[in-house]
């Protein structure tokens, strides 16, 4: 309180105002590794019931949890960014991996970084980094709040930027002395930021349907920026009505119900070869939400950048993405859910339903159904995923990081719920465990499974401590082949038999899981895995199954070390 001039003025700290702004924007959970640079915020959160503070064990894990939390919000009524708080210097650089993933994956996230006090700026103070310069290239917006009176302005703008157009990450640096500055108690948060609704242009829709009517072999590629349950339902109804084959972009397999009669499978690494040929031979490619990144397009080859014998229609909420990389014949900048709804309701008698949707679906089902081998490996990964489909609910949420191990789930699992696939299109290792903790906290009524390779798991496996601390229900599968398997595969392809830098010496992962207070088991055969899974599903809390496989079983495509070595050079 200020009693100068005999007038009592009520005040609050900038940190208290910041927390009020978070609440006003609908934040109900933040992820953090505490730091002395934002102690005032932690104090403002003390005893505060509207926002849960989840304490993590490493800033990369906290950022991944926020990234996943933002991605999951699309299934609700409104897209909201996931929120993480970390300290300056080491904390921020650790967390930068989550910012990178949020950007490449088009997921809303805000990273708050406690910063050096304002008088120390530009003196290379303790752990000082120019965060605007550091995060600028990998975030939608990076800024610093120096004036405590502008906290409501910056927070509202951060939320708006994170959810608008192509969703993505925002980084705000918070000088520690600014957080302690007093502001008027009457200074209030700005209203809730709402994602703008970008309606589809009727003339553009007319042109789109005319192009579809003229096509002989069209295909759709869907999933990505702004995708939600409304988009999922509307686009599926539209595609099924006209028999349009629908492929999902890399790691966007929950963008359509896998039971749809026109689902053609997923693009990315290790897709169905028949789907690749279908995309190459299509005379019209309809892309909705996806930005046609390198993984989805197999290095910008499927479809090709110029696609001389194809027409490309690109629907995306951000006009800057349309025509940015690919030559586009018709671009429509609008909300993908608004487009999907309009397409599902549009009547055009000139379109004769295609047979291709049913044909592509049959090809996908054949490719995505496990056929037992006469000489299967002791622990057959394809058989294990098939057993999971029989044992676990259809709407289970599968979370994974990066590595060849994920390919078995991409091929044989059915992502029936929404959301049900949390996996980084940026290919970041260590994502799966933190993402699964965020999912288990957000969806307490659904089965959540973290799938990790041995190398992948040990990059953020410490977040099992977070899972245990908050008592989440979580199944963790660690696929252990004693190698960085993806790199080993490329190594054997390029330099057969010359193994270098890819072998791993691992702990007993079952014992590690038990050390966190969880139930655990080890499986070296398919039957042992099935038995362990059946026991795990009937338990609660943290459950970990250590799956030991031979490195010979390299990928869901069937690639093996012996097979790669036997290929002629």
């Amino acid at each position: 309180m200020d009693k100068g001039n005999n007038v009592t003025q009520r005040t609050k700290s900038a940190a208290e105002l910041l927390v009020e702004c978070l609440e006003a924007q609908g934040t109900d959970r933040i992820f953090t590794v505490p730091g002395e640079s934002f102690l005032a915020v932690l104090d403002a959160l003390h005893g505060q019931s509207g926002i849960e503070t989840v304490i993590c064990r490493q800033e990369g894990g906290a950022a991944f949890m926020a990234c996943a939390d933002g991605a999951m919000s699309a299934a609700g009524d409104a897209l909201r960014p996931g929120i993480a708080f970390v300290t300056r210097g080491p904390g921020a650089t650790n967390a930068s991996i989550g910012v990178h993933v949020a950007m490449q994956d088009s997921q809303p996230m805000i990273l708050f970084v406690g910063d050096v006090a304002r008088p120390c700026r530009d003196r290379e103070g303790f752990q000082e980094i120019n965060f605007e310069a550091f995060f600028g290239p990998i975030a939608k917006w990076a800024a610093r709040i120096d004036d405590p009176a502008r906290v409501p302005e910056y927070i509202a703008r951060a939320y708006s930027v994170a959810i608008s157009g192509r969703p993505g990450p925002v980084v705000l640096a918070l000088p520690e002395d600014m957080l302690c500055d007093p502001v008027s108690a009457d200074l209030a948060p700005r209203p809730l930021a709402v994602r703008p609704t970008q309606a589809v242009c009727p003339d553009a829709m007319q042109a789109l349907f005319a192009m579809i009517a003229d096509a002989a072999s069209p295909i759709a590629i869907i999933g990505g920026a702004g995708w939600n349950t409304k988009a999922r339902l509307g686009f599926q109804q539209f595609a099924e009505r006209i028999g349009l084959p629908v492929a999902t972009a890399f790691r966007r397999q929950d963008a359509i119900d896998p039971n749809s009669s026109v689902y053609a499978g997923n693009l990315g690494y290790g897709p169905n070869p028949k789907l690749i040929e279908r995309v190459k031979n299509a005379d019209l490619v309809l892309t909705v939400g996806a930005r046609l990144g390198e993984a989805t397009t197999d290095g910008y080859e499927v479809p090709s950048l110029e696609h001389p014998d194809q027409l490309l229609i690109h629907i995306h909420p951000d006009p800057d993405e349309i025509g940015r990389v690919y030559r586009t014949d018709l671009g429509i900048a609008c909300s993908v859910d608004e487009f999907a709804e309009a397409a599902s309701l549009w009547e055009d008698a000139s379109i004769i339903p295609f047979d291709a949707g049913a044909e592509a679906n049959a090809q996908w089902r054949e490719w995505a159904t496990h056929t037992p081998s006469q000489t299967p490996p002791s622990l057959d990964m394809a058989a294990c995923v098939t057993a999971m489909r029989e044992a676990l609910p259809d709407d289970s949420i599968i979370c994974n990081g990066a590595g060849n191990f994920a390919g078995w789930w991409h091929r044989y699992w059915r992502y029936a719920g929404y959301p049900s696939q949390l996996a980084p299109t940026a290919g970041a290792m260590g994502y799966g465990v933190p993402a699964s903790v965020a999912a288990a906290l957000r969806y307490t009524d659904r089965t959540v499974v973290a799938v990790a390779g041995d190398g992948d798991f040990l990059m953020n496996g410490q977040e099992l401590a977070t899972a245990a601390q908050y008592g989440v229900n979580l199944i963790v599968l660690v696929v252990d082949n004693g190698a960085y398997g993806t790199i080993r595969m490329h190594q054997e392809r390029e330099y057969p038999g010359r193994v270098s830098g890819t072998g791993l010496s691992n702990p007993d992962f079952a014992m590690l899981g038990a050390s966190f207070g969880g139930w655990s088991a080890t499986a070296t055969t398919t039957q042992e895995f099935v038995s362990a899974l059946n026991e795990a599903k009937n338990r609660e809390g943290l459950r970990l199954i250590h799956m030991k496989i031979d490195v010979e079983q390299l990928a869901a495509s069937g690639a093996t070390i012996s097979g790669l070595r036997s290929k002629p050079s």
Side-chain angles (χ1 to χ4, degrees), residues 298-329:
D298 193 19
Y300 306 106
E301 293 294 332
V302 186
S304 65
L305 284 172
E306 298 303 323
H307 48 90
D309 299 319
Q310 293 175 324
L311 294 175
L312 174 64
I313 302 173
H314 197 178
I315 290 90
H316 198 279
D318 192 335
D320 288 342
E321 287 299 317
I322 298 173
R324 176 184 174 191
V325 177
Y326 272 82
R327 177 182 65 77
T328 304
D329 298 285

Side-chain angles (χ1 to χ4, degrees), residues 255-337:
I256 187 172
D257 187 334
N259 294 313
S260 172
S261 59
V262 294
Y263 180 45
N266 59 293
L267 294 167
Y269 300 117
N272 183 358
K274 291 184 178 180
L275 176 58
I276 293 295
E277 289 305 308
R278 185 173 294 278
V279 176
K280 287 181 177 179
N281 295 329
D283 58 356
L284 174 67
V285 178
L286 171 62
T287 302
V288 186
R291 62 182 179 88
L292 293 178
E294 180 184 358
T296 294
T297 62
D298 193 19
Y300 306 106
E301 293 294 332
V302 186
S304 65
L305 284 172
E306 298 303 323
H307 48 90
D309 299 319
Q310 293 175 324
L311 294 175
L312 174 64
I313 302 173
H314 197 178
I315 290 90
H316 198 279
D318 192 335
D320 288 342
E321 287 299 317
I322 298 173
R324 176 184 174 191
V325 177
Y326 272 82
R327 177 182 65 77
T328 304
D329 298 285
L330 175 62
I332 304 176
C334 67
S335 300
V336 293
D337 55 355

Side-chain angles (χ1 to χ4, degrees), residues 97 162 466 541:
I97 188 172
T466 307

Side-chain angles (χ1 to χ4, degrees), residues 370-422:
H370 172 53
T371 302
S373 167
Q374 292 184 343
T375 56
S378 297
L379 194 153
D380 187 336
M381 289 298 300
C384 289
V385 178
T386 300
M388 280 182 61
R389 283 172 41 202
E390 297 172 356
L392 301 182
D394 290 344
D395 68 348
S396 297
I397 302 174
I398 309 296
C399 312
N400 63 265
N404 273 6
F405 68 90
W408 279 285
W409 278 268
H410 294 352
R411 180 169 180 174
Y412 297 110
W413 183 260
R414 307 289 192 263
Y415 294 88
Y418 192 84
S420 62
Q421 184 178 38
L422 289 175

Side-chain angles (χ1 to χ4, degrees), residues 205-497:
M205 288 295 288
Q206 191 70 51
L208 178 146
F209 273 85
M211 293 169 72
I212 294 175
D214 288 340
S217 54
I219 190 167
I221 301 173
I222 67 168
W227 204 264
N228 56 23
T229 49
K230 179 180 174 182
R232 188 182 202 244
L233 178 61
F235 193 85
Q236 182 171 327
Q237 291 174 340
F238 154 68
E240 289 178 350
R241 189 177 77 238
I242 66 171
L244 175 68
V246 179
T248 50
F250 179 51
R251 292 182 167 171
R252 308 291 195 186
Q253 288 170 251
D254 57 359
I256 187 172
D257 187 334
N259 294 313
S260 172
S261 59
V262 294
Y263 180 45
N266 59 293
L267 294 167
Y269 300 117
N272 183 358
K274 291 184 178 180
L275 176 58
I276 293 295
E277 289 305 308
R278 185 173 294 278
V279 176
K280 287 181 177 179
N281 295 329
D283 58 356
L284 174 67
V285 178
L286 171 62
T287 302
V288 186
R291 62 182 179 88
L292 293 178
E294 180 184 358
T296 294
T297 62
D298 193 19
Y300 306 106
E301 293 294 332
V302 186
S304 65
L305 284 172
E306 298 303 323
H307 48 90
D309 299 319
Q310 293 175 324
L311 294 175
L312 174 64
I313 302 173
H314 197 178
I315 290 90
H316 198 279
D318 192 335
D320 288 342
E321 287 299 317
I322 298 173
R324 176 184 174 191
V325 177
Y326 272 82
R327 177 182 65 77
T328 304
D329 298 285
L330 175 62
I332 304 176
C334 67
S335 300
V336 293
D337 55 355
E338 293 295 315
F339 167 78
E341 182 178 54
S344 69
L345 299 174
W346 198 276
E347 297 292 340
D348 194 318
S350 64
I351 295 180
I352 300 174
F354 301 96
D355 296 329
E359 179 184 79
N361 181 252
Q363 291 173 344
W364 167 71
R365 289 189 177 279
E366 180 182 9
W367 177 78
T369 299
H370 172 53
T371 302
S373 167
Q374 292 184 343
T375 56
S378 297
L379 194 153
D380 187 336
M381 289 298 300
C384 289
V385 178
T386 300
M388 280 182 61
R389 283 172 41 202
E390 297 172 356
L392 301 182
D394 290 344
D395 68 348
S396 297
I397 302 174
I398 309 296
C399 312
N400 63 265
N404 273 6
F405 68 90
W408 279 285
W409 278 268
H410 294 352
R411 180 169 180 174
Y412 297 110
W413 183 260
R414 307 289 192 263
Y415 294 88
Y418 192 84
S420 62
Q421 184 178 38
L422 289 175
T425 68
M429 295 179 72
Y431 178 91
V433 171
S436 70
V437 174
L441 287 168
R442 183 61 62 188
Y443 289 100
T444 57
D445 59 338
R446 290 174 63 181
T447 297
V448 178
V449 183
V451 181
D454 45 354
D456 177 73
F457 175 82
L458 282 176
M459 291 199 177
N460 267 319
Q462 77 282 342
E463 298 306 338
L464 290 188
T466 307
Q469 179 169 344
Y470 292 91
V472 300
N473 287 316
L474 177 62
I475 297 175
V476 181
L477 308 179
V478 182
V479 183
D480 178 6
N481 64 1
Y484 286 121
T486 304
I487 311 307
R488 177 69 181 275
M489 181 181 69
H490 292 303
Q491 190 172 63
E492 293 288 356
R493 182 181 293 121
E494 301 296 328
Y495 306 98

Side-chain angles (χ1 to χ4, degrees), residues 152-195:
E153 171 194 341
Y154 275 88
I155 300 303
R157 179 178 172 187
Y159 276 77
S160 180
V161 170
I163 63 176
S164 298
R166 175 185 168 187
V170 169
V171 180
L172 288 181
L174 309 170
E176 59 180 319
D177 60 326
M178 182 278 295
L179 292 171
C180 297
D181 281 353
V183 297
S184 170
D186 296 329
L187 190 56
R190 287 192 177 182
L192 177 73
V194 178
R195 181 174 170 83

